[in-house]
């Protein structure tokens, strides 16, 4: 089963619209690829200018979050209908920063994932353990719980197109990338969990990314692991280095 590698950048809360344009112009020639999916998940205010610049390139634009209602009195939120109408094809759901700082639960993430699929947006569903959980030896149990809840009510046809990002919290923004063995172990367990919920063909189709201090040095080994289909990249996606990660 050959799965297309995904190189997804998560810009987080960085880049004004003018800076976003500048960064896009710098990165477009560096991230050209025929065989990988290149996705930039940008702040909401940068979505339109980035979509404009991404036209005619291989770059897809994603959002970093969305709400699970189509419209209404939800001040400050952005809906899947708006994202889809703008031309957004991907959305990060349940990033550990959303879970940690904004109280998102596994149940919220499930509602958002269902909504994203309903509107034809591919969710990039994040999971990951804290250092404390890793030290307690409950990493796999924790991740399985996150995945099982996130996928409740999602059909096998939808699940096949999903992207899952395994991002150990202790590796995010710390410069401490998980070892390839640690990353492969959990990404393999995620695929097994999908096989349990659905079946083997679904597990073979879903793409599982690793995220957490991915850089041009660590990317090649990580992406070569049997159950790792690319990366969700934060800090390094704001630099020319992202071009080398795409080539990895
Ligand atoms: P990082 O962030 O690459 O800066 O560690 C990854 C992420 O949070 O998606």
């Amino acid at each position: 089963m050959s799965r297309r590698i995904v190189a997804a950048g998560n810009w987080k809360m960085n880049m004004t619209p003018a800076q976003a344009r500048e960064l896009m112009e710098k990165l477009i020639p560096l991230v050209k690829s025929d065989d990988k999916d290149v996705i930039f998940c940008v702040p909401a205010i940068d979505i339109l200018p980035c979509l404009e610049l991404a036209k005619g390139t291989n770059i897809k634009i994603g959002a970093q979050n969305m709400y699970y209602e189509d419209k209404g009195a939800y001040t400050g939120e952005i809906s899947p209908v708006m994202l889809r109408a703008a031309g957004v094809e991907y959305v990060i759901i349940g990033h550990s920063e959303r879970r940690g700082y904004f109280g998102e639960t596994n149940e919220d993430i499930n509602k958002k994932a269902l909504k994203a699929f309903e509107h034809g947006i591919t969710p990039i569903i994040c999971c990951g353990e804290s250092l404390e959980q890793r030290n307690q030896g409950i990493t796999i149990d924790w991740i399985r719980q996150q995945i099982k809840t996130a996928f409740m009510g999602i059909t096998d046809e939808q699940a096949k197109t999903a992207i899952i990002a395994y991002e150990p919290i202790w590796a995010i923004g710390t410069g401490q990338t998980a070892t390839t063995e640690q990353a492969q172990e959990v990404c393999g367990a995620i695929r097994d969990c999908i096989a349990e919920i659905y079946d083997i063909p679904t597990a073979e189709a879903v793409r599982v990314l690793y995220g957490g201090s991915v850089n041009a040095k660590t990317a090649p080994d990580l992406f070569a692991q049997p159950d790792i289909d690319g990366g969700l990249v934060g800090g390094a996606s704001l630099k020319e280095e992202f071009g080398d990660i795409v080539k990895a």
Side-chain angles (χ1 to χ4, degrees):
M1 175 90 203
S2 71
R3 294 178 292 267
R4 262 175 88 86
I5 293 274
V6 179
N10 174 10
W11 289 9
K12 307 197 179 183
M13 197 175 72
N14 295 294
M15 301 289 124
T16 65
Q19 289 169 334
R21 277 192 204 96
E22 217 176 286
L23 182 61
M24 284 285 291
E25 272 158 10
K26 195 156 73 180
L27 292 182
I28 286 169
L30 303 178
V31 301
K32 284 211 175 89
S33 169
D34 295 328
D35 59 348
K36 294 189 189 80
D37 289 337
V38 179
I39 309 165
F40 289 179
C41 297
V42 306
I45 199 162
D46 298 331
I47 287 174
L48 289 177
C50 288
L51 277 165
E52 197 56 42
L53 286 168
K55 266 188 202 145
T57 77
N58 61 314
I59 299 169
K60 305 284 188 202
I61 300 299
Q64 296 177 4
N65 182 32
M66 54 160 239
Y67 196 52
Y68 50 72
E69 295 292 346
D70 292 347
K71 63 175 181 161
Y74 304 101
T75 302
E77 293 295 320
I78 189 158
S79 93
V81 176
M82 297 168 185
L83 294 177
R84 187 66 213 177
V88 168
E89 294 175 62
Y90 298 89
V91 61
I92 298 176
I93 302 280
H95 189 279
S96 63
E97 286 150 18
R98 299 288 327 161
R99 295 176 187 258
Y101 298 133
F102 305 101
E104 285 191 14
T105 64
N106 284 341
E107 288 70 23
D108 294 329
I109 285 145
N110 174 238
K111 286 186 197 160
K112 291 182 178 193
L114 283 164
K115 259 292 166 188
F117 278 123
E118 183 188 321
H119 290 282
I121 303 172
T122 302
I124 302 174
I125 299 169
C126 300
C127 59
E129 82 289 2
S130 66
L131 190 56
E132 198 183 4
Q133 288 162 335
R134 174 158 286 271
N135 290 338
Q136 277 174 358
I138 59 168
T139 296
I140 303 288
D141 297 326
W142 179 258
I143 302 285
R144 285 172 54 86
Q145 183 65 41
Q146 289 184 320
I147 295 298
K148 288 199 166 181
T149 311
F151 279 82
M152 276 188 317
I154 289 171
T155 68
D156 52 353
E157 283 316 306
Q158 290 171 330
K160 279 186 180 131
T161 66
I163 300 177
I164 300 171
Y166 166 55
E167 299 201 305
I169 296 168
W170 48 271
I172 295 176
T174 58
Q176 194 195 338
T177 321
T179 65
T180 47
E181 293 74 23
Q182 287 170 327
Q184 163 57 30
E185 184 199 9
V186 180
C187 291
I190 290 170
R191 204 176 299 286
D192 290 345
C193 185
I194 294 292
E196 267 174 47
I197 305 171
Y198 301 97
D199 49 24
I200 303 245
T202 307
E204 302 250 287
V206 72
R207 288 180 293 175
V208 183
L209 316 184
Y210 167 80
S213 297
V214 173
N215 57 43
K217 268 208 201 88
T218 54
D221 269 356
L222 284 164
F223 296 6
Q225 299 304 306
D227 287 303
I228 302 180
D229 307 310
L232 180 57
V233 184
S237 73
L238 298 168
K239 300 190 249 176
E240 285 165 2
E241 183 178 0
F242 194 61
D244 297 324
I245 294 173
V246 170
K247 288 187 192 85

